[in-house]
Amino acid sequence: MWGVGRLPIHVSLLPLRISRPAKVHNQIPNLSHNVGSKRCIVRELGTPGGQVGPHTGEITSAGKLGGLLRGHRVARGLSQEELAARVQPALAANTISNLERGRTRPYRQTLDTLAKALSLTAAQRAELVAIWRGREAEVQGTVPASLPKLGARPNNLPLTVTPLIGRQPELATIAAHLRLPHVRLLTLTGPAGAGKTRLAVEAASNLLGVFADGVYFVALASINDPALVVSAITESLGMVDAGANPRAALREFLRDKSLLVVLDNFEHLLTAAPMVAELLAEARGLKVLVTSREPLRSRWERVYPVPSLPLPDLETLPDLAALGATPAVTLFVQRACGVRPEFQLTAENARAVAEVCVRLDGLPLAIELAAARCNVLGPQAILSRLQHRLRLLRHPAPDGPPRHQTLQAAIDWSYELLAPQERAVFRRLGVFVGGWTLEAAEVVTDTASLGVEALDVLGALVDKGLIQVQMLDSSAQESRFRMLETLREYALDQLAAAGELDATNARHVGFFVELAEVGEPSLRSAEQAVWLERLETEHDNFRAALGSSLHPGPATETALRLGWALGWFWFLHGHYSEGRRWLEHLLEHSPGASPLLRARLLARAGSLAYGQGDLSRAAALLQESVTLARAEGDTWLVAVGLTVWGFVAEFQGDYACGQQFRQESLALFRQHNDVLGIGWALHQLGRAAHDQGEYEQAEGYLNESLALRRAIGDSWGLVLALHYRGRVAHAQGAPARARALLEESLALSRRVGFKRYIAWALHHLARVARAQGEHRLARAYEEESLASAIQRGDKPGIVECVEGLAGLAVELSDWTRAARLAGAVEAQREALGNPRPRAYHRGHERDLAAVRAALGERSFGKQWTAGRGLRLEDAVAEAREPAAAGRGSSAPPRERFDPLTGREREVAVLVARGFGSRRIAAELVIAEGTVRVHVEHILSKLDLHSRAQLASWTVQRGLLHDPG
């Protein structure tokens, strides 16, 4: 859970109780709600949640009411339609939508009806009514200020479940700075535990209405290499893999955006500050909010030191009511209630609590650590221990701020309260990055040598607030643990001081190498999906293990083993850039590696290069891998290399070489009885047959591959087989079946996280939709596929999508744009060495003929040549422009060349294949009478008189075997 200082504590669901005389009972009527609210609203990201006032970014009264209604609905798991159906008399779903967006103000009777349908409590109803009346002040304190503005703009801000206490002045100052046009970079500085992260999240949430393209949070605590900051930003923005040059891709992505990016925990990555300055220089609508223990020292920067929480005056201690309202004391009491529900602020402990807060300088993390000890100590006992510990700093910094020393003292004190075995486990846990499992803790902290049970010690550390525990999901079989970064750094310092750092790192590396090596073959089994998720969860630990293995000196054999074991995971989950960077580094810094291990790394590096469309590099890496594997007699590895090399050769237009590689790999996989490999090779053969227009042969190979992959539960193989069967069905004139197969492939890809194949399915669904005349749907598919290809740096995929959008321009008679994009695509294919598959030649030629006929040869040639001169990014920008039917030409629409709708073309193709009305109805999942109506309309449109004439017309137009 998120506390003010990010300490892992239990969030109390009980109101804060203050013992006080009856005469002051009503002086602070809302205090319990301020610090002990049970309410937690889950927001839906990226959807409007309230009307924003003009120029200010503030939410209007109607917007506040709508946001609150949305929160109650979402918290109850209801859609707008489901809530509308509950209301009696029923409301329309769009009425609910307008209310939640703050576009309309409900009648009181409607408000009461909605409250009843939502089963709101009396307090919740009163809150709605007060806002409806414009009396928000009546309910201030009942909703924590920390609740995010529900969906005002696209964002990925962490959900906060406790109120931010005592930070209104700071929030106002931050907002004022970031609203100034000349303030582009604002850095919140201060020591660990000052609450910088929590303050930044709240400030960013308050500014959601200001930035048109959203607010995004980038967690950098687990990043140790400044070179990975760009990757962290691109991932948070949804650019999961930004290609071979992610920095350039990020600049391009941000260039025209109005965005606020929050970079959290930057202090250990200061050498990446010039990159931030570069982004600000390139993207004028970008603003950056940074949290760091020291400034970035950039010319763009404005620094804002985060102050401590307001404290009580010990010389004139206020009464209980006023003392309890002091932010530092409020925080202490709330956190104490979290670990000891019966805790109360009383006349007896008030001074001790106040002194604890003052001695800790009002630093949120220090206060939370102290309050967490209330499970075993009273405030006076805590105070007496602090009196002795504040002067005993382990790492004194006489020239640093006093608050840093105070925080160090608080952590020292918490650490010294641990039993010796707990201390040892705590400091050894510091080597984990991004969390760990119980099994990992047992091995890496070596609890056996300490004579303790790992589960017992971890439970004690959770209770004492030094680590967090979370369930991965409702079906998870085990818990996962995390340590906040401030405490992790402290643990590592203690580990080094104890002389245990090298030994603990070695156990960490050993554990994760073994985990990766167990997972590698499991990625080729029925457990593939489970292992992909597990490896992704541990990705930060794998990065740390690789880093430990590579420094200092040349890469160790352990690092090479880890690189090989992770290679397939990187490919399947789309981590192309990062995987290539690790593997190329390992290959460059391992002169003494065995030939076989080197061949394995080359095979994986070649696969990742292929995944990014770097075909020449992929071919070189795969050729060297196959050569070494042949020399070492590893025929299985030869088959692996040849399979990918076959893909590369095919993309480069060398179909004969690709076919040779495929046949050899299939034979070798059969020798090894590798079912997954056999299925992979068969898929390759089916894909090649499809691309050559040999659809029946392709269907045979793909059906055999699909059966094998279903038998072993190979999710990745199923995705590929379903995808290509869908493409074959489309080519054979069965769009309904094609769509079903492609949608199944897409759903499985989304479920397992196969980013590359999500994009493929979308692109080919766009082709099917276009053939069926659903141009708006086709464009939506194509644009989503294009965005994915750009994120992954997949240049061939980008070119395919631009070509698809060019085809849609043809459908809309946007002849000039169609000609320019066609020229751009042809130039890019030539540059990439990626010719168009033969299966798509006919459809492409048909499009070009239509454009030529509309523009005339001279005008077409001019636009084609201009398109060939476009850079890829310029072609993408032009393809993404809103569609404009008939733009640039007065020529008639496409119907002159093909007057049939998408559905009519489907019927015509099936008629040409000899299908009767009943069979056509079954194929297209429509009524037999509907088929007869379609046939009558087609004959009338084409001025034909029989099905035989229609079949002849269809064949002459090339529609029978044209995938569109």
Side-chain angles (χ1 to χ4, degrees):
M1 302 259 182
W2 281 66
V4 176
R6 301 176 69 236
L7 175 70
I9 49 85
H10 302 286
V11 176
S12 176
L13 296 180
L14 299 174
L16 184 156
R17 292 184 295 278
I18 300 178
S19 296
R20 52 186 174 267
K23 65 180 181 180
V24 299
H25 181 77
N26 294 320
Q27 294 179 10
I28 48 169
N30 291 319
L31 179 59
S32 65
H33 296 292
N34 274 328
V35 296
S37 174
K38 300 179 184 180
R39 188 174 294 106
C40 174
I41 296 176
V42 180
R43 59 197 166 94
E44 296 177 315
L45 296 180
T47 57
Q51 186 70 31
V52 180
H55 310 299
T56 66
E58 298 298 326
I59 306 299
T60 65
S61 181
K64 291 176 183 177
L65 182 63
L68 193 55
L69 283 170
R70 176 188 291 272
H72 286 308
R73 174 179 62 78
V74 173
R76 287 156 178 78
L78 297 174
S79 67
Q80 290 177 342
E81 291 76 9
E82 290 168 336
L83 175 57
R86 283 190 177 193
V87 176
Q88 296 298 329
L91 291 176
N94 66 337
T95 301
I96 302 292
S97 176
N98 288 333
L99 288 172
E100 291 184 350
R101 292 169 182 262
R103 292 176 176 173
T104 186
R105 186 172 182 270
Y107 292 108
R108 172 61 189 272
Q109 182 179 356
T110 302
L111 191 68
D112 291 341
T113 305
L114 285 169
K116 182 178 180 180
L118 290 165
S119 302
L120 300 186
T121 65
Q124 290 169 337
R125 292 185 186 211
E127 179 182 359
L128 278 177
V129 171
I131 294 176
W132 179 80
R133 289 173 172 168
R135 300 175 182 173
E136 291 90 340
E138 293 181 10
V139 293
Q140 282 183 358
T142 63
V143 179
S146 61
L147 286 177
K149 312 302 182 285
L150 299 179
R153 287 281 192 250
N155 69 90
N156 69 339
L157 294 175
L159 181 67
T160 57
V161 296
T162 56
L164 181 62
I165 296 170
R167 292 299 195 188
Q168 291 308 313
E170 290 83 356
L171 290 171
T173 301
I174 293 169
H177 281 313
L178 288 173
R179 288 175 184 275
L180 294 173
H182 60 278
V183 177
R184 303 286 307 287
L185 169 62
L186 181 64
T187 302
L188 308 186
T189 61
K196 301 183 296 295
T197 295
R198 182 67 182 82
L199 181 60
V201 169
E202 186 74 12
S205 178
N206 290 343
L207 291 167
L208 281 169
V210 176
F211 296 89
D213 294 306
V215 176
Y216 289 88
F217 183 88
V218 183
L220 299 175
S222 62
I223 303 296
N224 290 319
D225 182 359
L228 294 178
V229 172
V230 170
S231 296
I233 296 174
T234 59
E235 288 181 12
S236 295
L237 291 173
M239 302 170 63
V240 179
D241 192 289
N245 190 350
R247 193 159 172 167
L250 179 58
R251 288 199 307 268
E252 185 61 31
F253 179 84
L254 293 172
R255 192 180 304 278
D256 299 317
K257 300 287 192 304
S258 171
L259 277 172
L260 175 64
V261 174
V262 181
L263 301 179
D264 185 46
N265 284 306
F266 203 95
E267 58 272 355
H268 59 303
L269 302 165
L270 292 175
T271 55
M275 178 274 298
V276 176
E278 178 182 312
L279 295 179
L280 290 167
E282 292 280 343
R284 296 186 178 181
L286 172 68
K287 294 201 176 190
V288 179
L289 179 61
V290 176
T291 70
S292 178
R293 294 181 200 172
E294 58 182 298
L296 276 62
R297 298 178 178 84
S298 167
R299 66 186 179 89
W300 298 91
E301 183 176 41
R302 178 167 292 191
V303 178
Y304 180 70
V306 176
S308 299
L309 289 173
L311 294 163
D313 184 351
L314 294 179
E315 293 185 3
T316 56
L317 199 65
D319 61 26
L320 285 179
L323 179 62
T326 304
V329 174
T330 300
L331 175 62
F332 182 97
V333 175
Q334 185 188 72
R335 298 302 185 258
C337 288
V339 296
R340 188 175 166 188
E342 69 273 18
F343 184 85
Q344 299 180 31
L345 184 65
T346 66
E348 290 72 25
N349 65 20
R351 174 163 288 276
V353 169
E355 286 198 41
V356 166
C357 294
V358 171
R359 295 297 181 95
L360 295 178
D361 287 344
L363 289 172
L365 177 57
I367 292 171
E368 289 181 332
L369 279 168
R373 299 283 70 80
C374 284
N375 65 335
V376 291
L377 298 174
Q380 188 60 49
I382 293 172
L383 178 61
S384 63
R385 290 174 181 272
L386 286 176
Q387 283 180 316
H388 292 290
R389 295 300 184 269
L390 287 174
R391 301 191 301 267
L392 303 175
L393 301 178
R394 288 195 176 275
H395 299 287
D399 58 342
R403 288 188 296 273
H404 182 77
Q405 300 175 22
T406 302
L407 176 60
Q408 182 69 51
I411 302 175
D412 277 338
W413 163 80
S414 185
Y415 178 72
E416 289 174 8
L417 282 176
L418 301 176
Q421 295 89 342
E422 292 173 343
R423 292 183 198 174
V425 171
F426 171 71
R427 62 178 176 256
R428 293 173 187 179
L429 290 172
V431 299
F432 288 105
V433 184
W436 64 89
T437 61
L438 174 61
E439 179 189 7
E442 287 174 333
V443 174
V444 176
T445 65
D446 194 17
T447 50
S449 70
L450 298 172
V452 295
E453 291 291 330
L455 182 59
D456 294 338
V457 179
L458 291 175
L461 294 175
V462 168
D463 288 342
K464 295 172 183 178
L466 290 171
I467 63 175
Q468 292 173 301
V469 60
Q470 62 182 30
M471 298 298 292
L472 292 178
D473 55 56
S474 59
S475 61
Q477 297 301 308
E478 62 179 347
S479 300
R480 186 167 180 83
F481 302 86
R482 298 180 68 89
M483 183 184 292
L484 294 178
E485 186 62 20
T486 298
L487 298 174
R488 178 174 174 267
E489 288 186 10
Y490 180 88
L492 287 173
D493 286 344
Q494 297 299 320
L495 192 63
E500 300 172 349
L501 183 59
D502 290 342
T504 308
N505 269 333
R507 289 193 296 270
H508 179 269
V509 170
F511 178 85
F512 284 101
V513 169
E514 183 178 349
L515 179 66
E517 289 181 334
V518 171
E520 195 277 332
S522 299
L523 294 179
R524 294 179 277 115
S525 74
E527 295 182 317
Q528 182 184 73
V530 173
W531 274 94
L532 279 171
E533 183 178 356
R534 183 171 185 184
L535 296 177
E536 188 66 62
T537 300
E538 298 292 3
H539 204 173
D540 282 338
N541 277 312
F542 288 127
R543 291 170 175 138
L546 278 166
S548 298
S549 302
L550 289 171
H551 182 79
T556 63
E557 182 177 347
T558 300
L560 301 178
R561 287 166 50 203
L562 184 54
W564 156 255
L566 291 175
W568 194 231
F569 156 71
W570 283 327
F571 182 85
L572 291 178
H573 258 206
H575 298 294
Y576 300 131
S577 292
E578 181 175 356
R580 283 186 71 184
R581 186 165 58 248
W582 282 118
L583 291 174
E584 301 256 16
H585 183 90
L586 290 169
L587 289 166
E588 182 181 352
H589 294 87
S590 56
S594 69
L596 188 56
L597 194 49
R598 181 173 179 82
R600 290 181 171 184
L601 295 177
L602 287 162
R604 292 299 187 231
S607 298
L608 292 168
Y610 155 73
Q612 288 191 303
D614 190 350
L615 301 180
S616 58
R617 179 59 177 161
L621 291 166
L622 293 164
Q623 182 178 13
E624 185 180 352
S625 174
V626 169
T627 300
L628 286 173
R630 286 193 197 278
E632 293 297 309
D634 190 333
T635 54
W636 179 84
L637 188 57
V638 170
V640 170
L642 287 173
T643 305
V644 184
W645 199 359
F647 276 114
V648 174
E650 180 187 338
F651 270 110
Q652 292 178 316
D654 192 344
Y655 291 97
C657 188
Q659 189 71 357
Q660 176 187 336
F661 291 158
R662 284 185 282 269
Q663 293 288 359
E664 184 180 355
S665 68
L666 176 59
L668 291 174
F669 280 132
R670 289 193 190 279
Q671 287 179 16
H672 288 273
N673 196 29
D674 183 340
V675 177
L676 184 138
I678 294 169
W680 193 13
L682 286 168
H683 165 78
Q684 273 269 47
L685 290 165
R687 171 179 173 161
H690 163 271
D691 290 349
Q692 294 295 303
E694 299 168 358
Y695 301 124
E696 290 186 7
Q697 186 181 48
E699 194 169 20
Y701 282 131
L702 293 171
N703 285 340
E704 187 178 354
S705 175
L706 183 62
L708 287 173
R709 290 172 165 196
R710 283 197 191 279
I712 63 173
D714 174 20
S715 300
W716 177 69
L718 282 173
V719 163
L720 292 180
L722 289 166
H723 176 86
Y724 267 91
R725 285 190 67 196
R727 290 171 66 171
V728 168
H730 184 206
Q732 291 177 323
R737 178 162 176 73
R739 174 174 285 185
L741 289 164
L742 288 168
E743 286 177 345
E744 186 179 354
S745 174
L746 175 62
L748 182 56
S749 295
R750 290 194 193 278
R751 187 162 66 247
V752 185
F754 295 150
K755 301 177 184 70
R756 177 182 179 85
Y757 308 107
I758 291 171
W760 277 15
L762 289 166
H763 173 63
H764 289 283
L765 279 167
R767 285 182 173 273
V768 174
R770 178 192 171 188
Q772 294 181 295
E774 299 177 79
H775 301 148
R776 184 174 297 178
L777 177 63
R779 185 174 183 89
Y781 281 141
E782 206 71 85
E783 288 181 346
E784 186 179 351
S785 179
L786 176 59
S788 175
I790 291 171
Q791 290 167 3
R792 293 176 291 103
D794 179 5
K795 287 189 177 180
I798 295 171
V799 172
E800 293 280 354
C801 293
V802 171
E803 186 163 43
L805 290 168
L808 290 171
V810 172
E811 297 290 348
L812 291 173
S813 305
D814 192 351
W815 308 115
T816 299
R817 174 155 49 171
R820 285 169 59 84
L821 293 179
V825 166
E826 210 62 33
Q828 291 297 326
R829 285 191 179 279
E830 292 169 6
L832 292 171
N834 179 26
R836 183 177 295 101
R838 294 182 188 178
Y840 301 124
H841 283 185
R842 189 170 298 174
H844 175 66
E845 289 166 1
R846 186 188 64 210
D847 283 348
L848 288 185
V851 178
R852 277 192 170 97
L855 292 177
E857 195 63 42
R858 182 175 180 181
S859 179
F860 170 81
K862 180 180 178 180
Q863 299 301 332
W864 170 276
T865 302
R868 286 185 62 87
L870 291 174
R871 298 178 303 166
L872 180 57
E873 53 266 38
D874 295 330
V876 167
E878 187 163 332
R880 281 176 154 175
E881 288 178 9
R887 184 177 64 177
S889 172
S890 58
R894 174 78 186 269
E895 278 66 29
R896 167 176 290 185
F897 308 97
D898 187 350
L900 304 184
T901 66
R903 177 63 83 187
E904 289 169 345
R905 280 199 293 272
E906 289 177 346
V907 172
V909 166
L910 294 177
V911 168
R913 294 181 65 190
F915 286 21
S917 294
R918 181 174 299 177
R919 191 172 175 188
I920 293 173
E923 182 72 21
L924 299 182
V925 197
I926 57 178
E928 189 173 346
T930 303
V931 174
R932 286 193 290 269
V933 171
H934 278 309
V935 172
E936 290 173 4
H937 286 173
I938 293 168
L939 295 176
S940 176
K941 277 187 178 182
L942 300 179
D943 196 23
L944 300 175
H945 306 288
S946 68
R947 289 191 177 216
Q949 287 180 322
L950 174 58
S952 176
W953 181 90
T954 303
V955 172
Q956 290 172 1
R957 293 298 304 271
L959 298 180
L960 186 58
H961 297 298
D962 185 5

